[in-house]
Amino acid sequence: MYSASPPPPRRDFISVTLSPGEAAGAGGYNNSKAWRRRSCWRKWKQLSRLQRSIILFLFAFLAVCGVISYTNMGEQWKSLRKKSSEDQKTEPEIPGLKPANPAVLPEPQKAEANYPELSPQKHSKPLHVRRGPPNLQIRPPRRDARVKARDVAGKTEEEPGQADKEEKTEKSIISWRGAVIEPDQSTEPPSSIIKEPEKPSSVEVEDQKEPVPINERQMAVIEAFRHAWKGYKAFAWGHDELKPLSKSYSEWFGLGLTLIDALDTMWILGLKEEFEEAKKWVATDLLLDKNVDVNLFESTIRILGGLLSAYHLSGDSLFLEKAKDIGSRLMPAFNTPSKIPYSDVNIGRGTAHPPRWTSDSTVAEVTSIQLEFRELSHLTGDKKFQKAVDAVMKHVHSLSGKNDGLVPMFINTNSGQFTHLGVYTLGARADSYYEYLLKQWIQGGKKENELLEDYMRAIEGVKKHLLRTSQPKKLTFVGELAHGHFSAKMDHLVCFLPGTLALGAHNGLTADHMELAKALIETCYQMYAQVETGLSPEIVHFNLHAQKDRKDVEIKPADRHNLLRPETVESLFYLYRFTGDKKYQDWGWEILQNFNKYTRVPSGGYTSINNVQNPSNPEPRDKMESFFLGETLKYMFLLFSDDVDLINLDKYVFNTEAHPLPIWAPA
């Protein structure tokens, strides 16, 4: 069977007709713009709606990015041009020209944890400074070019052209008075300064001096402070005192005593980051309208004094506003028949009362609040604060019952008379009365002669009734007198006296005060050196008679605790500042090392101890007093400094909690 034959192949033909014009290129493809536009449009129409939407979105996104980039580049270019024009306008330095408002203390910068090698900064041109708060001119910080470019609007004015000079030393350490730190990338200026009072005192005009770099011992103090602050921040933030061993806190008034006590210490040490943290707490969490009883004396020297000092050093009016608030809330204490204030005040209710067990107040407490309230009147123009505390001093000045200028320890708030007559001490309950006699006289410009007379008479009374010499090293010490019987007992608190005597001698009082100060500070040092841990007990008794194998210092079991007190370090600071004798720095260094050895808690903080005679077990008490940060470490840092202008003692007077307040200049 045969298959059918295949069909013949099919042929297809296409007919194309070319017109003469197209053949000549008039209508065909000729790479013209019109042809390309028609071709692109034809391809665009061939795309789906989704494809066209994606392409349009990408084009829009790129356009927005381009606009943003252009704007940023324009702003940078504008700022560079502005900076260049400012540099060209820098005024030439005029030889011998002094700044109108010289600096006293700079704004602190953040101190780095890893301390760099120290190197002094080259002397720079005098800077134009802004007005500081009343009684203090604040030095504007010197910043490198990078920080200057990032400063926000409203910062402290700086001298134009300074960036060129600082750019060359960008990697070097910045050194101000009392602080050497790495350049900081962000700084925040103090809040706007409040209006000056009618009669502000002013700091004397002086040449700006070569900054003094921080030394290794000061670095060790900064490290100790940071360690203590770490524990407080972690376990007791916003509370009164740290309990470092139990990693908790104790509350006294509920007003953040440690934090407020440490404000000016952080400023002086240059710890800006910690200072700013604490300032934010003061602004938002320091609530004074609360139903709580506070001790007039303690809240005045720690809270009011700390806030006033922080205001003067930083220039931030926040601290002055808080100081006015707490000062006003303490005023009900003076509503007594005798005008001798009660010991306790309820700052929420506006009521005051004596202790529950007596109607007496201690003499030290009612006569050691004057520096703070007087300064509050000086700043605010409200005389009620100074009037109240001056009345107390005038009343005590007129009282009988003194013994050659020495005062008893108690005074009755109803009668206004001394009680428990015949007992005289420079220790607890009387100590700071003598300190504030001298310091009020200095604060007021050395015009109030009654204060000076009482102070000079009291020192003569100390020499006559309380001064003795121990055996075998013949240490000069200050004992106590009770109804005519002398006791060779001396509180560690009495070690404020060498510094006070030296301060008086520096201010023109008799030279033998300085000699007595030198003898007493030797005794205070021996109260540390003759003890097994190298730390002083709270109270010592001195041997008056030579006995074989016995030291000058004896310690009773009830007195062998150490509370991290500052009085000896305080006096070492004054003696070194006025004499320049390096042994005082060495003694302070020994004390700091022993604090680190026996009281430092690894998790953060330092603790008071119960037994300074047992190096293997000093029996920690689990409490860090607020004055360890407010006083002890502050005086340590100042002791190790060779810069006399780091809290110049011709311009500042310390309150009894180590808060510096300005000395009033003559009107």
Side-chain angles (χ1 to χ4, degrees):
M1 191 173 174
Y2 296 96
S3 62
S5 60
R10 182 179 176 178
R11 295 182 181 180
D12 294 328
F13 297 92
I14 297 175
S15 175
V16 178
T17 304
L18 297 176
S19 65
E22 290 175 335
Y29 175 75
N30 56 9
N31 200 31
S32 66
K33 290 183 179 179
W35 177 273
R36 288 198 301 271
R37 280 197 296 269
R38 286 197 301 271
S39 177
C40 290
W41 176 251
R42 192 176 296 116
K43 292 182 180 295
W44 173 257
K45 297 295 289 184
Q46 291 174 354
L47 295 174
S48 68
R49 180 174 296 179
L50 176 62
Q51 291 173 324
R52 282 181 285 178
S53 298
I54 293 175
I55 293 173
L56 289 174
F57 173 77
L58 291 175
F59 273 109
F61 177 75
L62 292 174
V64 171
C65 292
V67 171
I68 294 174
S69 299
Y70 176 79
T71 303
N72 292 338
M73 292 180 63
E75 290 179 355
Q76 292 180 3
W77 176 250
K78 184 178 179 179
S79 64
L80 289 174
R81 291 183 61 189
K82 183 177 180 180
K83 180 179 176 182
S84 176
S85 63
E86 289 178 353
D87 291 343
Q88 293 176 1
K89 293 178 183 179
T90 302
E91 295 180 3
E93 182 180 1
I94 302 175
L97 182 63
K98 298 179 182 179
N101 298 310
V104 175
L105 194 69
E107 179 179 353
Q109 289 274 5
K110 178 180 176 182
E112 300 298 335
N114 296 322
Y115 303 116
E117 182 181 356
L118 305 179
S119 61
Q121 180 182 345
K122 295 182 179 179
H123 185 67
S124 59
K125 298 179 182 179
L127 300 176
H128 298 291
V129 299
R130 61 173 172 82
R131 291 286 299 174
N135 311 317
L136 186 67
Q137 306 299 329
I138 305 296
R139 174 187 299 163
R142 295 185 287 269
R143 303 181 178 90
D144 61 26
R146 294 177 302 164
V147 174
K148 192 172 182 181
R150 297 187 183 186
D151 279 349
V152 296
K155 280 188 177 289
T156 303
E157 293 184 1
E158 297 184 2
E159 181 180 358
Q162 189 72 12
D164 292 340
K165 186 171 183 178
E166 290 171 347
E167 189 174 8
K168 298 177 182 178
T169 58
E170 181 177 329
K171 296 182 180 179
S172 64
I173 299 169
I174 297 177
S175 171
W176 300 332
R177 297 193 192 281
V180 179
I181 45 83
E182 290 288 355
D184 193 6
Q185 291 299 314
S186 62
T187 56
E188 182 177 346
S191 303
S192 57
I193 307 305
I194 67 165
K195 183 178 179 180
E196 290 189 354
E198 293 180 1
K199 295 181 179 180
S201 60
S202 59
V203 180
E204 295 180 2
V205 176
E206 67 171 2
D207 292 331
Q208 293 198 21
K209 300 178 181 179
E210 185 78 13
V212 178
I214 270 184
N215 55 54
E216 291 183 4
R217 289 180 174 181
Q218 287 177 293
M219 289 293 188
V221 177
I222 292 176
E223 192 280 330
F225 183 97
R226 276 193 158 137
H227 181 77
W229 190 253
K230 179 182 74 172
Y232 177 75
K233 184 178 177 182
F235 311 121
W237 182 252
H239 297 284
D240 284 343
E241 291 170 326
L242 169 68
K243 298 178 71 174
L245 295 176
S246 58
K247 299 181 180 179
S248 60
Y249 58 86
S250 62
E251 212 74 293
W252 191 1
F253 307 143
L255 298 175
L257 289 183
T258 294
L259 186 147
I260 297 175
D261 236 356
L263 283 169
D264 54 3
T265 304
M266 290 183 280
W267 186 277
I268 292 170
L269 270 59
L271 301 178
K272 182 189 178 227
E273 181 178 331
E274 291 84 351
F275 180 86
E276 291 297 325
E277 282 182 322
K279 185 180 79 171
K280 290 178 182 177
W281 183 90
V282 172
T284 59
D285 297 318
L286 179 57
L287 305 177
L288 299 173
D289 186 15
K290 58 195 306 184
N291 181 19
V292 61
D293 281 0
V294 303
N295 179 270
L296 172 66
F297 167 70
E298 295 291 353
S299 54
T300 297
I301 66 172
R302 302 190 196 207
I303 301 175
L304 179 56
L307 292 170
L308 289 172
S309 178
Y311 165 66
H312 277 295
L313 297 182
S314 72
D316 196 319
S317 60
L318 163 70
F319 301 116
L320 181 56
E321 291 302 318
K322 292 290 187 179
K324 287 193 293 185
D325 192 1
I326 186 65
S328 297
R329 293 177 183 277
L330 294 174
M331 287 301 291
F334 296 91
N335 296 332
T336 68
S338 65
K339 302 305 180 184
I340 298 298
Y342 290 127
S343 62
D344 298 285
V345 187
N346 188 298
I347 57 175
R349 295 179 177 176
T351 59
H353 57 85
R356 294 181 178 85
W357 57 88
T358 180
S359 59
D360 292 346
S361 290
T362 67
V363 171
E365 289 186 347
V366 303
T367 59
S368 304
I369 54 179
Q370 279 68 20
L371 291 178
E372 299 82 0
F373 277 98
R374 283 156 53 108
E375 179 60 22
L376 188 57
S377 282
H378 197 71
L379 288 173
T380 63
D382 190 341
K383 300 301 181 184
K384 69 179 180 183
F385 305 111
Q386 181 171 355
K387 183 179 179 181
V389 295
D390 282 353
V392 175
M393 296 307 300
K394 291 183 182 299
H395 180 79
V396 172
H397 172 76
S398 65
L399 284 179
S400 60
K402 299 176 185 175
N403 186 3
D404 292 322
L406 302 177
V407 296
M409 294 187 292
F410 297 97
I411 187 169
N412 189 273
T413 55
N414 294 320
S415 67
Q417 299 298 311
F418 289 129
T419 61
H420 300 81
L421 300 178
V423 179
Y424 305 99
T425 176
L426 265 71
R429 301 186 177 92
D431 50 351
S432 48
Y433 161 73
Y434 304 101
E435 175 189 358
Y436 267 41
L437 288 174
L438 175 68
K439 289 184 175 181
Q440 287 177 82
W441 177 70
I442 294 172
Q443 179 193 44
K446 305 178 184 178
K447 299 176 182 178
E448 297 155 292
N449 291 329
E450 281 186 355
L451 297 169
L452 179 61
E453 291 170 6
D454 287 347
Y455 174 75
M456 295 296 291
R457 189 175 293 111
I459 298 304
E460 293 305 310
V462 170
K463 294 178 182 178
K464 181 177 180 181
H465 299 290
L466 304 183
L467 214 59
R468 296 288 190 279
T469 302
S470 71
Q471 296 294 335
K473 290 192 173 182
K474 300 187 183 301
L475 301 177
T476 301
F477 70 95
V478 177
E480 297 181 354
L481 193 66
H483 309 292
H485 298 285
F486 179 81
S487 170
K489 168 181 173 287
M490 179 172 166
D491 293 359
H492 184 275
L493 288 168
V494 181
C495 287
F496 84 92
L497 185 58
T500 300
L501 289 167
L503 180 63
H506 175 73
N507 281 275
L509 302 187
T510 177
D512 68 335
H513 284 199
M514 180 63 79
E515 297 307 311
L516 180 56
K518 293 177 180 178
L520 288 174
I521 193 59
E522 168 74 25
T523 302
C524 291
Y525 167 67
Q526 290 298 327
M527 289 167 62
Y528 287 77
Q530 294 191 21
V531 181
E532 287 79 356
T533 60
L535 295 175
S536 172
E538 183 74 357
I539 299 171
V540 299
H541 290 77
F542 287 92
N543 285 314
L544 295 175
H545 307 287
Q547 300 182 44
K548 187 177 181 181
D549 299 329
R550 296 187 67 177
K551 300 178 181 178
D552 297 73
V553 173
E554 288 191 348
I555 306 170
K556 295 184 177 181
D559 303 330
R560 59 191 184 187
H561 51 286
N562 180 287
L563 303 181
L564 311 174
R565 286 199 183 275
E567 288 78 18
T568 295
V569 180
E570 171 187 359
S571 287
L572 288 172
F573 158 63
Y574 282 108
L575 267 294
Y576 178 70
R577 180 67 66 92
F578 296 140
T579 69
D581 192 332
K582 294 287 186 182
K583 74 179 180 183
Y584 300 125
Q585 287 185 324
D586 295 338
W587 292 353
W589 181 242
E590 290 178 22
I591 295 172
L592 178 61
Q593 289 178 309
N594 289 325
F595 276 139
N596 280 324
K597 186 174 183 180
Y598 295 108
T599 71
R600 183 175 174 121
V601 178
S603 59
Y606 290 74
T607 178
S608 50
I609 57 177
N610 271 325
N611 191 350
V612 297
Q613 294 180 298
N614 189 349
S616 61
N617 181 21
E619 301 174 21
R621 296 165 64 111
D622 193 22
K623 186 176 182 181
M624 185 177 77
E625 302 279 352
S626 77
F627 52 67
F628 182 66
L629 299 186
E631 299 186 71
T632 307
L633 292 182
K634 182 188 300 167
Y635 280 130
M636 282 280 189
F637 186 83
L638 294 171
L639 166 62
F640 298 143
S641 173
D642 290 319
D643 185 0
V644 297
D645 288 318
L646 180 59
I647 311 299
N648 191 315
L649 294 177
D650 292 324
K651 297 175 183 176
Y652 293 92
V653 60
F654 285 94
N655 83 338
T656 196
E657 192 73 9
H659 298 305
L661 302 173
I663 296 171
W664 303 342

